[in-house]
Amino acid sequence: MATKKKIGILTGGGDCPGLNPAIRGAVLQASALGYECLGVQEGWKGLLTADALPLSSADVEEIIGKGGTILGTSRTNPYKKENGVLQVLAGFEKLGLDALIAMGGEDTLGVAAKLFKEHRFPVVGVPKTMDNDLSATDFTFGFDTASTLAMEAAQRLVDTGRSHRRVMVLEVMGRHAGWVALYTAIGAGADYVCLPERPVDVEEMVRRLKAAHARKKTALVITSEAVDLGDSGKEELDDFGHMILKKRGVAEKLAEIIEKKTGIETRSAVIGHMQRGGPPTLFDRILGTRVGVAAAQLVAQGKFGQMVALQGNQVAGVPLGDATAALKTVTAEWLALADVLSGAVARKS
Ligand code: F6P
């Protein structure tokens, strides 16, 4: 009997809800096409060390509603390790793989794009990140769940804020793209949103918060973790050269500024990694499943060096290079919309 071709699947970078549905979709479609799958453990690290486990349809059957990734993940960058790329190529050989599906954000897929460009490495990418900052795709799974959780947390803050007549500040993740903060703010009806895409206008923020507090006896600010309050530059960097943002304490600093300038008692909260765990929303389950299935199809068609993108309501392959060339950040149209929503009522009062 002819041996089946093998696809390795890995998940790299920060985990997010939707990864398990994507793994499930890829494995179910690959099995239906006659492939065997191996689950490469903990991102690129698993290829460096040839660490993988069999991944059958039975293994993935019941994982659609599970948060995290059953494969484990890491922020390992083979390009930052001595002989890292050679080790990845050797690990791929050793595991007897014919193709790889790499699920990740700009870092993981950046490595995939480089490996394809430099070594014609047979890889297909699946976009994942709660940050929603990948180009060439309308959405990444993980974003909907993370923003929905943050929105719910914000609404809880408003309840306690109103009881105590306080201003409440919620800090959300999302790195250097403000999508999570923006969607959370719109969804929770926030009075001001601080995004990394533009400097915080402190005077305008104070004006709006005072007006909102006068009307509602509370006011809500959503801030991105990456907002620059004039004290950037001292942060630790990870393997991909990104700042480790969670140590910056943006919410606490903003709360201090707001309390001082408005004279209204202010409290802050940081949702942090809680927004990355838990069951994926329906949207993320469907998107994860669709891109996972499509990735296995691209492998079967020999379309390597591609990433599965959501464009409108279609999923389609786009060059990995296009997806990783530039970060997708909040546009001027969205900034204008955010201003209308938090500014219009304040202007009338
Ligand atoms: O990129 C996803 C993300 O959740 C960012 O929003 C956040 O800044 C970062 O990961 C946190 O990374 P870690 O899990 O390594 O602390």
Side-chain angles (χ1 to χ4, degrees), residues 14-15 75 129-131 173-175 225 244-246 273 276:
D15 68 329
R75 296 195 187 277
T129 165
M130 59 155 285
D131 304 342
M173 296 206 284
R175 221 171 234 169
E225 63 180 349
I244 301 179
L245 295 164
K246 64 181 181 300
H273 292 79
R276 240 170 50 187

PDB file of all heavy atoms in Angstrom, residues 14-15 75 129-131 173-175 225 244-246 273 276, ligand 1:
ATOM      1  N   GLY A  14       1.199  34.428  19.573  1.00  0.00           N
ATOM      2  CA  GLY A  14       0.181  34.402  20.637  1.00  0.00           C
ATOM      3  C   GLY A  14      -0.993  33.531  20.216  1.00  0.00           C
ATOM      4  O   GLY A  14      -1.430  33.608  19.073  1.00  0.00           O
ATOM      5  N   ASP A  15      -1.483  32.713  21.116  1.00  0.00           N
ATOM      6  CA  ASP A  15      -2.652  31.884  20.760  1.00  0.00           C
ATOM      7  C   ASP A  15      -3.879  32.785  20.614  1.00  0.00           C
ATOM      8  O   ASP A  15      -3.851  33.955  21.015  1.00  0.00           O
ATOM      9  CB  ASP A  15      -2.915  30.825  21.842  1.00  0.00           C
ATOM     10  CG  ASP A  15      -3.391  31.453  23.140  1.00  0.00           C
ATOM     11  OD1 ASP A  15      -2.994  32.591  23.439  1.00  0.00           O
ATOM     12  OD2 ASP A  15      -4.183  30.818  23.847  1.00  0.00           O
ATOM     13  N   ARG A  75       6.904  31.872  20.581  1.00  0.00           N
ATOM     14  CA  ARG A  75       7.326  32.976  19.701  1.00  0.00           C
ATOM     15  C   ARG A  75       8.738  32.716  19.184  1.00  0.00           C
ATOM     16  O   ARG A  75       9.538  33.635  19.064  1.00  0.00           O
ATOM     17  CB  ARG A  75       7.263  34.302  20.466  1.00  0.00           C
ATOM     18  CG  ARG A  75       5.852  34.693  20.894  1.00  0.00           C
ATOM     19  CD  ARG A  75       5.792  36.149  21.301  1.00  0.00           C
ATOM     20  NE  ARG A  75       4.508  36.507  21.871  1.00  0.00           N
ATOM     21  CZ  ARG A  75       3.434  36.820  21.164  1.00  0.00           C
ATOM     22  NH1 ARG A  75       3.485  36.797  19.858  1.00  0.00           N
ATOM     23  NH2 ARG A  75       2.301  37.139  21.769  1.00  0.00           N
ATOM     24  N   THR A 129      -4.811  36.062  14.401  1.00  0.00           N
ATOM     25  CA  THR A 129      -4.342  36.979  15.441  1.00  0.00           C
ATOM     26  C   THR A 129      -5.531  37.767  15.982  1.00  0.00           C
ATOM     27  O   THR A 129      -6.369  38.251  15.208  1.00  0.00           O
ATOM     28  CB  THR A 129      -3.261  37.984  14.967  1.00  0.00           C
ATOM     29  OG1 THR A 129      -3.150  39.022  15.948  1.00  0.00           O
ATOM     30  CG2 THR A 129      -3.553  38.634  13.628  1.00  0.00           C
ATOM     31  N   MET A 130      -5.562  37.871  17.283  1.00  0.00           N
ATOM     32  CA  MET A 130      -6.598  38.688  17.908  1.00  0.00           C
ATOM     33  C   MET A 130      -6.412  40.161  17.535  1.00  0.00           C
ATOM     34  O   MET A 130      -7.332  40.949  17.639  1.00  0.00           O
ATOM     35  CB  MET A 130      -6.595  38.534  19.431  1.00  0.00           C
ATOM     36  CG  MET A 130      -5.295  38.905  20.097  1.00  0.00           C
ATOM     37  SD  MET A 130      -5.486  39.407  21.810  1.00  0.00           S
ATOM     38  CE  MET A 130      -6.171  41.045  21.656  1.00  0.00           C
ATOM     39  N   ASP A 131      -5.218  40.539  17.065  1.00  0.00           N
ATOM     40  CA  ASP A 131      -4.933  41.939  16.754  1.00  0.00           C
ATOM     41  C   ASP A 131      -5.598  42.400  15.442  1.00  0.00           C
ATOM     42  O   ASP A 131      -5.733  43.602  15.213  1.00  0.00           O
ATOM     43  CB  ASP A 131      -3.418  42.181  16.645  1.00  0.00           C
ATOM     44  CG  ASP A 131      -2.673  41.768  17.903  1.00  0.00           C
ATOM     45  OD1 ASP A 131      -3.308  41.626  18.969  1.00  0.00           O
ATOM     46  OD2 ASP A 131      -1.447  41.572  17.823  1.00  0.00           O
ATOM     47  N   MET A 173      -5.577  44.587  24.697  1.00  0.00           N
ATOM     48  CA  MET A 173      -4.389  44.246  23.895  1.00  0.00           C
ATOM     49  C   MET A 173      -4.665  44.588  22.430  1.00  0.00           C
ATOM     50  O   MET A 173      -5.697  45.157  22.098  1.00  0.00           O
ATOM     51  CB  MET A 173      -4.044  42.773  24.087  1.00  0.00           C
ATOM     52  CG  MET A 173      -3.641  42.449  25.513  1.00  0.00           C
ATOM     53  SD  MET A 173      -2.550  41.021  25.671  1.00  0.00           S
ATOM     54  CE  MET A 173      -3.669  39.672  25.439  1.00  0.00           C
ATOM     55  N   GLY A 174      -3.751  44.205  21.574  1.00  0.00           N
ATOM     56  CA  GLY A 174      -3.923  44.488  20.147  1.00  0.00           C
ATOM     57  C   GLY A 174      -2.655  44.998  19.496  1.00  0.00           C
ATOM     58  O   GLY A 174      -2.620  45.316  18.310  1.00  0.00           O
ATOM     59  N   ARG A 175      -1.623  45.144  20.320  1.00  0.00           N
ATOM     60  CA  ARG A 175      -0.321  45.595  19.846  1.00  0.00           C
ATOM     61  C   ARG A 175      -0.388  46.938  19.116  1.00  0.00           C
ATOM     62  O   ARG A 175      -1.137  47.796  19.545  1.00  0.00           O
ATOM     63  CB  ARG A 175       0.282  44.523  18.966  1.00  0.00           C
ATOM     64  CG  ARG A 175       1.744  44.363  19.220  1.00  0.00           C
ATOM     65  CD  ARG A 175       2.313  43.188  18.528  1.00  0.00           C
ATOM     66  NE  ARG A 175       3.005  42.335  19.480  1.00  0.00           N
ATOM     67  CZ  ARG A 175       3.423  41.141  19.201  1.00  0.00           C
ATOM     68  NH1 ARG A 175       3.180  40.614  18.031  1.00  0.00           N
ATOM     69  NH2 ARG A 175       4.061  40.444  20.103  1.00  0.00           N
ATOM     70  N   GLU A 225      -3.191  49.060  24.497  1.00  0.00           N
ATOM     71  CA  GLU A 225      -1.980  48.891  25.306  1.00  0.00           C
ATOM     72  C   GLU A 225      -0.779  49.627  24.702  1.00  0.00           C
ATOM     73  O   GLU A 225       0.198  49.879  25.388  1.00  0.00           O
ATOM     74  CB  GLU A 225      -1.644  47.401  25.404  1.00  0.00           C
ATOM     75  CG  GLU A 225      -1.328  46.773  24.035  1.00  0.00           C
ATOM     76  CD  GLU A 225      -0.995  45.295  24.067  1.00  0.00           C
ATOM     77  OE1 GLU A 225      -0.788  44.752  25.161  1.00  0.00           O
ATOM     78  OE2 GLU A 225      -0.950  44.678  22.984  1.00  0.00           O
ATOM     79  N   ILE A 244       7.396  44.318  24.532  1.00  0.00           N
ATOM     80  CA  ILE A 244       6.486  43.584  25.418  1.00  0.00           C
ATOM     81  C   ILE A 244       5.640  44.652  26.108  1.00  0.00           C
ATOM     82  O   ILE A 244       6.081  45.311  27.038  1.00  0.00           O
ATOM     83  CB  ILE A 244       7.275  42.692  26.386  1.00  0.00           C
ATOM     84  CG1 ILE A 244       8.118  41.703  25.550  1.00  0.00           C
ATOM     85  CG2 ILE A 244       6.346  41.958  27.354  1.00  0.00           C
ATOM     86  CD1 ILE A 244       8.989  40.761  26.333  1.00  0.00           C
ATOM     87  N   LEU A 245       4.419  44.810  25.599  1.00  0.00           N
ATOM     88  CA  LEU A 245       3.631  46.000  25.940  1.00  0.00           C
ATOM     89  C   LEU A 245       2.921  45.924  27.289  1.00  0.00           C
ATOM     90  O   LEU A 245       2.577  46.949  27.868  1.00  0.00           O
ATOM     91  CB  LEU A 245       2.591  46.245  24.839  1.00  0.00           C
ATOM     92  CG  LEU A 245       3.195  46.611  23.475  1.00  0.00           C
ATOM     93  CD1 LEU A 245       2.161  46.441  22.379  1.00  0.00           C
ATOM     94  CD2 LEU A 245       3.708  48.039  23.497  1.00  0.00           C
ATOM     95  N   LYS A 246       2.701  44.688  27.744  1.00  0.00           N
ATOM     96  CA  LYS A 246       1.847  44.576  28.930  1.00  0.00           C
ATOM     97  C   LYS A 246       2.469  45.169  30.191  1.00  0.00           C
ATOM     98  O   LYS A 246       1.797  45.385  31.180  1.00  0.00           O
ATOM     99  CB  LYS A 246       1.423  43.127  29.158  1.00  0.00           C
ATOM    100  CG  LYS A 246       2.560  42.196  29.477  1.00  0.00           C
ATOM    101  CD  LYS A 246       2.021  40.785  29.664  1.00  0.00           C
ATOM    102  CE  LYS A 246       3.105  39.810  30.011  1.00  0.00           C
ATOM    103  NZ  LYS A 246       4.168  39.705  28.989  1.00  0.00           N
ATOM    104  N   HIS A 273      -4.627  38.952  29.119  1.00  0.00           N
ATOM    105  CA  HIS A 273      -4.729  37.651  28.446  1.00  0.00           C
ATOM    106  C   HIS A 273      -6.088  36.991  28.594  1.00  0.00           C
ATOM    107  O   HIS A 273      -6.375  36.023  27.884  1.00  0.00           O
ATOM    108  CB  HIS A 273      -3.619  36.728  28.940  1.00  0.00           C
ATOM    109  CG  HIS A 273      -2.264  37.186  28.488  1.00  0.00           C
ATOM    110  ND1 HIS A 273      -1.593  38.202  29.114  1.00  0.00           N
ATOM    111  CD2 HIS A 273      -1.495  36.800  27.450  1.00  0.00           C
ATOM    112  CE1 HIS A 273      -0.451  38.414  28.484  1.00  0.00           C
ATOM    113  NE2 HIS A 273      -0.365  37.580  27.479  1.00  0.00           N
ATOM    114  N   ARG A 276      -7.870  36.583  25.429  1.00  0.00           N
ATOM    115  CA  ARG A 276      -7.338  35.660  24.422  1.00  0.00           C
ATOM    116  C   ARG A 276      -7.781  34.219  24.674  1.00  0.00           C
ATOM    117  O   ARG A 276      -7.529  33.339  23.848  1.00  0.00           O
ATOM    118  CB  ARG A 276      -5.819  35.738  24.415  1.00  0.00           C
ATOM    119  CG  ARG A 276      -5.289  36.161  23.094  1.00  0.00           C
ATOM    120  CD  ARG A 276      -3.834  36.475  23.103  1.00  0.00           C
ATOM    121  NE  ARG A 276      -2.978  35.483  23.685  1.00  0.00           N
ATOM    122  CZ  ARG A 276      -1.669  35.669  23.896  1.00  0.00           C
ATOM    123  NH1 ARG A 276      -1.110  36.804  23.556  1.00  0.00           N
ATOM    124  NH2 ARG A 276      -0.922  34.739  24.420  1.00  0.00           N
TER     125      ARG A 276
HETATM  126  O1  F6P B   1      -0.250  39.501  19.185  1.00  0.00           O
HETATM  127  C1  F6P B   1      -1.214  39.040  20.077  1.00  0.00           C
HETATM  128  C2  F6P B   1      -1.048  39.622  21.432  1.00  0.00           C
HETATM  129  O2  F6P B   1      -2.108  39.170  22.253  1.00  0.00           O
HETATM  130  C3  F6P B   1      -0.934  41.151  21.496  1.00  0.00           C
HETATM  131  O3  F6P B   1      -2.208  41.762  21.430  1.00  0.00           O
HETATM  132  C4  F6P B   1      -0.220  41.352  22.805  1.00  0.00           C
HETATM  133  O4  F6P B   1       0.501  42.564  22.842  1.00  0.00           O
HETATM  134  C5  F6P B   1       0.729  40.189  22.825  1.00  0.00           C
HETATM  135  O5  F6P B   1       0.157  39.180  22.016  1.00  0.00           O
HETATM  136  C6  F6P B   1       0.983  39.622  24.209  1.00  0.00           C
HETATM  137  O6  F6P B   1       1.967  38.656  24.083  1.00  0.00           O
HETATM  138  P1  F6P B   1       2.307  37.579  25.187  1.00  0.00           P
HETATM  139  O7  F6P B   1       1.208  36.554  25.183  1.00  0.00           O
HETATM  140  O8  F6P B   1       3.596  36.997  24.733  1.00  0.00           O
HETATM  141  O9  F6P B   1       2.374  38.284  26.498  1.00  0.00           O
END
